[in-house]
Amino acid sequence: MNDIHVYAQYFAASAEFAGIPRRAAAVFLTASSAEGNIRYALTVTFFPHESAEDFGISYDAAAETVLYEARGRRSKKREQTMLGSLREKADALAAELGGRIFWDQPLIEARFG
């Protein structure tokens, strides 16, 4: 299976998990393809971010949802549609983890693959 981060970006955030304050969140839209099938998943993971240089991602405070899965291949049009509703869906995942993403405080520029 080939995985590609269609979109990845880190933001300031607020959450607590396993007794550890989390001050940042990573948001990923990943496309996975294998044997003629395509799958898009949205992942949100909160991590401590104790300093400006600390980007050690911890996956113990993570949630994922599959946005699309079917026979076929990557579609730029489909990806643009998913990116249009990404924040709303990421907010729902963040809420499941008891956290909040501060979209107006990006920690890195968005990366597209």
Side-chain angles (χ1 to χ4, degrees), residues 5-73:
H5 284 309
V6 174
Y7 167 83
Q9 192 167 15
Y10 301 170
F11 296 90
S14 176
E16 186 171 321
F17 196 81
I20 300 168
R22 311 301 169 108
R23 296 177 185 90
V27 179
F28 304 108
L29 175 61
T30 306
S32 303
S33 63
E35 299 176 7
N37 295 308
I38 186 72
R39 177 181 185 264
Y40 288 94
L42 173 63
T43 305
V44 172
T45 183
F46 290 94
F47 59 100
H49 193 61
E50 295 178 359
S51 71
E53 293 81 31
D54 178 18
F55 287 93
I57 304 291
S58 54
Y59 288 95
D60 62 341
E64 179 180 278
T65 187
V66 174
L67 302 179
Y68 181 85
E69 189 168 17
R71 293 214 36 89
R73 55 191 173 115

Side-chain angles (χ1 to χ4, degrees), residues 63-99:
E64 179 180 278
T65 187
V66 174
L67 302 179
Y68 181 85
E69 189 168 17
R71 293 214 36 89
R73 55 191 173 115
R74 279 186 73 184
S75 162
K76 295 291 183 186
K77 183 177 179 181
R78 183 181 308 121
E79 290 172 4
Q80 288 303 312
T81 300
M82 288 180 201
L83 288 171
S85 62
L86 181 124
R87 288 186 178 191
E88 178 183 322
K89 292 179 178 169
D91 282 339
L93 287 177
E96 287 178 19
L97 295 168

